[in-house]
Amino acid sequence: MTTARRGVEIAARTAYGRLLAYLVSRSRDVMAAEDALGDAFVAALRTWPEQGMPPNPEAWLLLAARRKLIDAARRAKTRDKVVHWLETDDCTTASAAPEELTFPDERLKLLFVCAHPAIDASVHTPLMLQTILGLNAHQIGSAFLVSPTTMGQRLVRAKAKIRDAGIAFEIPEAAELPARLQAVLEAIYAVYTLGWDAVAGGDARHRGFTAEALWLARLCVDLMPEEPEAKGLLALMLFCEARAEARRTTAGAYVPLSEQDTELWSQGMVHEAEQYLRQAAAAQHIGRFQLEAAIQSAHMQRSRGQAPDWEAIVLLYEGLLQVAPTLGARVSQAAAIAAAQGFAASLQALETIPPDAVKNYQPYWALKAHLLHSLNQGTAAKTAYQRAIGLSEDAAVREFLLGRSRQLP
């Protein structure tokens, strides 16, 4: 890959959401802004290999997209106000050299726009993932167990709603914030999760998402300092991020949480996470993210030379299941039960989950294989390991499970 093409890829990965949010803030039209930005990236692929990388690639792309938007608005002959905004924008004036341009980051505004009550709530998070991250309908549909065609239609309708209803591109009034906050926090956590998986060898386009998610979460805390769930989410992600260096060996092998070297955990991040979690708890309004952060905090006892309080972790999962009964939480609670009450109790908890819900859920089969192995049920364990290995998208995790499977008699 040439340096210029590599530059386009990096810009797409690191700046897409920021550029799109800025363009939408001026045009009020998500679809038009997406088209213009897409054209700008195509132009970059054609121009940069011939003329070399511009000194400020993001500004180059922004100016190119702005020109596309102006051309499109002029052709439509109905967007005089939009053309005026774009032509007189202080940050993108035609007289300024691209390398001199800077522009504000509007992603948080776009997140709150996507969570507008006039838009179908089921599309809030998918819309944020597409506009901020540039994920396509196929990727989002897979995550939400919806066909790409159906998801694509929902997203198009949502963007048309923003344009046709004239939904304001601004942070809503304080009284409106709580109703939109949960969807925004869910989307930020989804961004973090995608980045977390990328560290494990997933889609290279997702690298950098963890830092972006942390940045967005910090903005939410600054915007709503009295909102405990915003602090809970930030604490949760900081706890997870603190372990980033311990998740793989230097050779890239997967290391499960229970076997990670706690010396590699970032104590600075752990300390910051604990502070945010304490501040959130002081509000005495518990929520999903605070509970998940509290579970992570309990695991961090190992870095202080203490064993995790597994009974407390089981209870925290019980509370989490009351407010967010997800499949992941049920399987994780079963794993905690193994440590607190034994393998048999854990297997019993695991088998209360409906089979249809777990047939393609890799963590369930990985845990079941481990439990059956520990209970000396070799044949059943081998079958479960094969299922888990087949469902593993991460090569390092797959190799780890293969190694455990080979230990069976």
Side-chain angles (χ1 to χ4, degrees), residues 359-378:
K359 59 184 179 182
N360 295 318
Y361 191 59
Q362 190 271 354
Y364 171 91
W365 293 103
L367 175 59
K368 187 166 187 174
H370 169 67
L371 296 174
L372 291 168
H373 187 179
S374 302
L375 292 167
N376 297 316
Q377 297 183 38

PDB file of all heavy atoms in Angstrom, residues 359-378:
ATOM      1  N   LYS A 359     -27.024 -20.715  21.081  1.00  0.00           N
ATOM      2  CA  LYS A 359     -26.477 -21.667  20.105  1.00  0.00           C
ATOM      3  C   LYS A 359     -25.293 -21.083  19.326  1.00  0.00           C
ATOM      4  O   LYS A 359     -24.402 -21.831  18.902  1.00  0.00           O
ATOM      5  CB  LYS A 359     -27.565 -22.138  19.146  1.00  0.00           C
ATOM      6  CG  LYS A 359     -28.225 -21.033  18.348  1.00  0.00           C
ATOM      7  CD  LYS A 359     -29.346 -21.633  17.499  1.00  0.00           C
ATOM      8  CE  LYS A 359     -30.047 -20.536  16.705  1.00  0.00           C
ATOM      9  NZ  LYS A 359     -31.181 -21.091  15.913  1.00  0.00           N
ATOM     10  N   ASN A 360     -25.262 -19.769  19.154  1.00  0.00           N
ATOM     11  CA  ASN A 360     -24.139 -19.148  18.444  1.00  0.00           C
ATOM     12  C   ASN A 360     -23.374 -18.156  19.316  1.00  0.00           C
ATOM     13  O   ASN A 360     -22.703 -17.260  18.801  1.00  0.00           O
ATOM     14  CB  ASN A 360     -24.642 -18.433  17.184  1.00  0.00           C
ATOM     15  CG  ASN A 360     -25.211 -19.403  16.170  1.00  0.00           C
ATOM     16  OD1 ASN A 360     -24.648 -20.477  15.947  1.00  0.00           O
ATOM     17  ND2 ASN A 360     -26.327 -19.045  15.561  1.00  0.00           N
ATOM     18  N   TYR A 361     -23.496 -18.301  20.630  1.00  0.00           N
ATOM     19  CA  TYR A 361     -22.849 -17.353  21.542  1.00  0.00           C
ATOM     20  C   TYR A 361     -21.561 -17.970  22.078  1.00  0.00           C
ATOM     21  O   TYR A 361     -21.563 -18.810  22.988  1.00  0.00           O
ATOM     22  CB  TYR A 361     -23.802 -16.995  22.689  1.00  0.00           C
ATOM     23  CG  TYR A 361     -23.313 -15.829  23.521  1.00  0.00           C
ATOM     24  CD1 TYR A 361     -23.074 -14.582  22.951  1.00  0.00           C
ATOM     25  CD2 TYR A 361     -23.078 -15.978  24.882  1.00  0.00           C
ATOM     26  CE1 TYR A 361     -22.624 -13.523  23.708  1.00  0.00           C
ATOM     27  CE2 TYR A 361     -22.634 -14.921  25.649  1.00  0.00           C
ATOM     28  CZ  TYR A 361     -22.402 -13.702  25.054  1.00  0.00           C
ATOM     29  OH  TYR A 361     -21.940 -12.646  25.805  1.00  0.00           O
ATOM     30  N   GLN A 362     -20.440 -17.529  21.556  1.00  0.00           N
ATOM     31  CA  GLN A 362     -19.147 -18.141  21.852  1.00  0.00           C
ATOM     32  C   GLN A 362     -18.802 -18.162  23.342  1.00  0.00           C
ATOM     33  O   GLN A 362     -18.332 -19.206  23.847  1.00  0.00           O
ATOM     34  CB  GLN A 362     -18.050 -17.422  21.041  1.00  0.00           C
ATOM     35  CG  GLN A 362     -16.698 -18.093  21.064  1.00  0.00           C
ATOM     36  CD  GLN A 362     -15.832 -17.615  22.239  1.00  0.00           C
ATOM     37  OE1 GLN A 362     -16.214 -16.710  22.970  1.00  0.00           O
ATOM     38  NE2 GLN A 362     -14.685 -18.230  22.409  1.00  0.00           N
ATOM     39  N   PRO A 363     -18.999 -17.057  24.096  1.00  0.00           N
ATOM     40  CA  PRO A 363     -18.621 -17.114  25.523  1.00  0.00           C
ATOM     41  C   PRO A 363     -19.344 -18.217  26.289  1.00  0.00           C
ATOM     42  O   PRO A 363     -18.782 -18.796  27.220  1.00  0.00           O
ATOM     43  CB  PRO A 363     -19.019 -15.716  26.026  1.00  0.00           C
ATOM     44  CG  PRO A 363     -18.914 -14.838  24.823  1.00  0.00           C
ATOM     45  CD  PRO A 363     -19.406 -15.691  23.684  1.00  0.00           C
ATOM     46  N   TYR A 364     -20.590 -18.495  25.924  1.00  0.00           N
ATOM     47  CA  TYR A 364     -21.327 -19.574  26.605  1.00  0.00           C
ATOM     48  C   TYR A 364     -20.603 -20.905  26.413  1.00  0.00           C
ATOM     49  O   TYR A 364     -20.377 -21.651  27.371  1.00  0.00           O
ATOM     50  CB  TYR A 364     -22.741 -19.638  26.028  1.00  0.00           C
ATOM     51  CG  TYR A 364     -23.538 -20.847  26.483  1.00  0.00           C
ATOM     52  CD1 TYR A 364     -24.339 -20.792  27.624  1.00  0.00           C
ATOM     53  CD2 TYR A 364     -23.506 -22.044  25.768  1.00  0.00           C
ATOM     54  CE1 TYR A 364     -25.069 -21.898  28.042  1.00  0.00           C
ATOM     55  CE2 TYR A 364     -24.226 -23.152  26.181  1.00  0.00           C
ATOM     56  CZ  TYR A 364     -25.006 -23.074  27.322  1.00  0.00           C
ATOM     57  OH  TYR A 364     -25.734 -24.171  27.726  1.00  0.00           O
ATOM     58  N   TRP A 365     -20.229 -21.208  25.149  1.00  0.00           N
ATOM     59  CA  TRP A 365     -19.614 -22.503  24.870  1.00  0.00           C
ATOM     60  C   TRP A 365     -18.196 -22.592  25.447  1.00  0.00           C
ATOM     61  O   TRP A 365     -17.760 -23.667  25.879  1.00  0.00           O
ATOM     62  CB  TRP A 365     -19.619 -22.764  23.362  1.00  0.00           C
ATOM     63  CG  TRP A 365     -21.015 -22.952  22.863  1.00  0.00           C
ATOM     64  CD1 TRP A 365     -21.793 -22.066  22.178  1.00  0.00           C
ATOM     65  CD2 TRP A 365     -21.848 -24.107  23.089  1.00  0.00           C
ATOM     66  NE1 TRP A 365     -23.045 -22.580  21.943  1.00  0.00           N
ATOM     67  CE2 TRP A 365     -23.106 -23.834  22.492  1.00  0.00           C
ATOM     68  CE3 TRP A 365     -21.659 -25.321  23.730  1.00  0.00           C
ATOM     69  CZ2 TRP A 365     -24.154 -24.743  22.517  1.00  0.00           C
ATOM     70  CZ3 TRP A 365     -22.708 -26.233  23.762  1.00  0.00           C
ATOM     71  CH2 TRP A 365     -23.935 -25.947  23.158  1.00  0.00           C
ATOM     72  N   ALA A 366     -17.497 -21.476  25.476  1.00  0.00           N
ATOM     73  CA  ALA A 366     -16.148 -21.483  26.075  1.00  0.00           C
ATOM     74  C   ALA A 366     -16.239 -21.770  27.572  1.00  0.00           C
ATOM     75  O   ALA A 366     -15.455 -22.559  28.121  1.00  0.00           O
ATOM     76  CB  ALA A 366     -15.464 -20.150  25.822  1.00  0.00           C
ATOM     77  N   LEU A 367     -17.194 -21.109  28.240  1.00  0.00           N
ATOM     78  CA  LEU A 367     -17.354 -21.348  29.679  1.00  0.00           C
ATOM     79  C   LEU A 367     -17.840 -22.771  29.945  1.00  0.00           C
ATOM     80  O   LEU A 367     -17.334 -23.463  30.848  1.00  0.00           O
ATOM     81  CB  LEU A 367     -18.345 -20.334  30.272  1.00  0.00           C
ATOM     82  CG  LEU A 367     -18.687 -20.546  31.752  1.00  0.00           C
ATOM     83  CD1 LEU A 367     -17.438 -20.473  32.622  1.00  0.00           C
ATOM     84  CD2 LEU A 367     -19.723 -19.518  32.212  1.00  0.00           C
ATOM     85  N   LYS A 368     -18.793 -23.227  29.151  1.00  0.00           N
ATOM     86  CA  LYS A 368     -19.322 -24.583  29.350  1.00  0.00           C
ATOM     87  C   LYS A 368     -18.217 -25.628  29.178  1.00  0.00           C
ATOM     88  O   LYS A 368     -18.129 -26.596  29.950  1.00  0.00           O
ATOM     89  CB  LYS A 368     -20.463 -24.845  28.365  1.00  0.00           C
ATOM     90  CG  LYS A 368     -21.182 -26.164  28.620  1.00  0.00           C
ATOM     91  CD  LYS A 368     -22.495 -26.240  27.873  1.00  0.00           C
ATOM     92  CE  LYS A 368     -23.270 -27.497  28.277  1.00  0.00           C
ATOM     93  NZ  LYS A 368     -24.612 -27.539  27.669  1.00  0.00           N
ATOM     94  N   ALA A 369     -17.374 -25.434  28.169  1.00  0.00           N
ATOM     95  CA  ALA A 369     -16.269 -26.369  27.952  1.00  0.00           C
ATOM     96  C   ALA A 369     -15.350 -26.402  29.169  1.00  0.00           C
ATOM     97  O   ALA A 369     -14.938 -27.479  29.637  1.00  0.00           O
ATOM     98  CB  ALA A 369     -15.490 -25.950  26.707  1.00  0.00           C
ATOM     99  N   HIS A 370     -15.040 -25.224  29.701  1.00  0.00           N
ATOM    100  CA  HIS A 370     -14.169 -25.145  30.886  1.00  0.00           C
ATOM    101  C   HIS A 370     -14.805 -25.853  32.078  1.00  0.00           C
ATOM    102  O   HIS A 370     -14.126 -26.616  32.805  1.00  0.00           O
ATOM    103  CB  HIS A 370     -13.912 -23.668  31.213  1.00  0.00           C
ATOM    104  CG  HIS A 370     -13.268 -23.448  32.539  1.00  0.00           C
ATOM    105  ND1 HIS A 370     -11.978 -23.849  32.822  1.00  0.00           N
ATOM    106  CD2 HIS A 370     -13.752 -22.876  33.688  1.00  0.00           C
ATOM    107  CE1 HIS A 370     -11.683 -23.539  34.071  1.00  0.00           C
ATOM    108  NE2 HIS A 370     -12.747 -22.949  34.619  1.00  0.00           N
ATOM    109  N   LEU A 371     -16.092 -25.632  32.275  1.00  0.00           N
ATOM    110  CA  LEU A 371     -16.777 -26.248  33.423  1.00  0.00           C
ATOM    111  C   LEU A 371     -16.825 -27.764  33.282  1.00  0.00           C
ATOM    112  O   LEU A 371     -16.545 -28.506  34.246  1.00  0.00           O
ATOM    113  CB  LEU A 371     -18.203 -25.677  33.544  1.00  0.00           C
ATOM    114  CG  LEU A 371     -18.293 -24.185  33.856  1.00  0.00           C
ATOM    115  CD1 LEU A 371     -19.745 -23.723  33.796  1.00  0.00           C
ATOM    116  CD2 LEU A 371     -17.694 -23.877  35.219  1.00  0.00           C
ATOM    117  N   LEU A 372     -17.167 -28.241  32.088  1.00  0.00           N
ATOM    118  CA  LEU A 372     -17.242 -29.692  31.866  1.00  0.00           C
ATOM    119  C   LEU A 372     -15.859 -30.335  32.029  1.00  0.00           C
ATOM    120  O   LEU A 372     -15.725 -31.427  32.582  1.00  0.00           O
ATOM    121  CB  LEU A 372     -17.810 -29.967  30.472  1.00  0.00           C
ATOM    122  CG  LEU A 372     -19.296 -29.611  30.296  1.00  0.00           C
ATOM    123  CD1 LEU A 372     -19.677 -29.642  28.819  1.00  0.00           C
ATOM    124  CD2 LEU A 372     -20.180 -30.574  31.088  1.00  0.00           C
ATOM    125  N   HIS A 373     -14.842 -29.644  31.533  1.00  0.00           N
ATOM    126  CA  HIS A 373     -13.466 -30.121  31.697  1.00  0.00           C
ATOM    127  C   HIS A 373     -13.124 -30.241  33.186  1.00  0.00           C
ATOM    128  O   HIS A 373     -12.578 -31.255  33.639  1.00  0.00           O
ATOM    129  CB  HIS A 373     -12.519 -29.155  30.996  1.00  0.00           C
ATOM    130  CG  HIS A 373     -11.108 -29.627  30.946  1.00  0.00           C
ATOM    131  ND1 HIS A 373     -10.110 -28.898  30.333  1.00  0.00           N
ATOM    132  CD2 HIS A 373     -10.497 -30.729  31.445  1.00  0.00           C
ATOM    133  CE1 HIS A 373      -8.979 -29.546  30.442  1.00  0.00           C
ATOM    134  NE2 HIS A 373      -9.180 -30.661  31.117  1.00  0.00           N
ATOM    135  N   SER A 374     -13.489 -29.203  33.958  1.00  0.00           N
ATOM    136  CA  SER A 374     -13.184 -29.192  35.394  1.00  0.00           C
ATOM    137  C   SER A 374     -13.956 -30.259  36.144  1.00  0.00           C
ATOM    138  O   SER A 374     -13.528 -30.720  37.213  1.00  0.00           O
ATOM    139  CB  SER A 374     -13.512 -27.811  35.979  1.00  0.00           C
ATOM    140  OG  SER A 374     -12.779 -26.795  35.317  1.00  0.00           O
ATOM    141  N   LEU A 375     -15.109 -30.670  35.607  1.00  0.00           N
ATOM    142  CA  LEU A 375     -15.937 -31.699  36.243  1.00  0.00           C
ATOM    143  C   LEU A 375     -15.648 -33.088  35.680  1.00  0.00           C
ATOM    144  O   LEU A 375     -16.416 -34.026  35.882  1.00  0.00           O
ATOM    145  CB  LEU A 375     -17.423 -31.345  36.039  1.00  0.00           C
ATOM    146  CG  LEU A 375     -17.904 -30.100  36.801  1.00  0.00           C
ATOM    147  CD1 LEU A 375     -19.274 -29.652  36.284  1.00  0.00           C
ATOM    148  CD2 LEU A 375     -17.966 -30.380  38.304  1.00  0.00           C
ATOM    149  N   ASN A 376     -14.527 -33.166  34.929  1.00  0.00           N
ATOM    150  CA  ASN A 376     -14.069 -34.456  34.373  1.00  0.00           C
ATOM    151  C   ASN A 376     -15.080 -35.092  33.419  1.00  0.00           C
ATOM    152  O   ASN A 376     -15.204 -36.316  33.351  1.00  0.00           O
ATOM    153  CB  ASN A 376     -13.727 -35.438  35.509  1.00  0.00           C
ATOM    154  CG  ASN A 376     -12.576 -34.926  36.365  1.00  0.00           C
ATOM    155  OD1 ASN A 376     -11.576 -34.428  35.826  1.00  0.00           O
ATOM    156  ND2 ASN A 376     -12.733 -35.017  37.670  1.00  0.00           N
ATOM    157  N   GLN A 377     -15.801 -34.269  32.693  1.00  0.00           N
ATOM    158  CA  GLN A 377     -16.717 -34.778  31.675  1.00  0.00           C
ATOM    159  C   GLN A 377     -16.065 -34.534  30.306  1.00  0.00           C
ATOM    160  O   GLN A 377     -16.456 -33.635  29.551  1.00  0.00           O
ATOM    161  CB  GLN A 377     -18.079 -34.089  31.776  1.00  0.00           C
ATOM    162  CG  GLN A 377     -18.791 -34.348  33.111  1.00  0.00           C
ATOM    163  CD  GLN A 377     -20.172 -33.716  33.186  1.00  0.00           C
ATOM    164  OE1 GLN A 377     -20.910 -33.701  32.215  1.00  0.00           O
ATOM    165  NE2 GLN A 377     -20.508 -33.208  34.352  1.00  0.00           N
ATOM    166  N   GLY A 378     -15.039 -35.341  30.031  1.00  0.00           N
ATOM    167  CA  GLY A 378     -14.168 -35.094  28.894  1.00  0.00           C
ATOM    168  C   GLY A 378     -14.863 -35.067  27.549  1.00  0.00           C
ATOM    169  O   GLY A 378     -14.620 -34.164  26.737  1.00  0.00           O
TER     170      GLY A 378
END
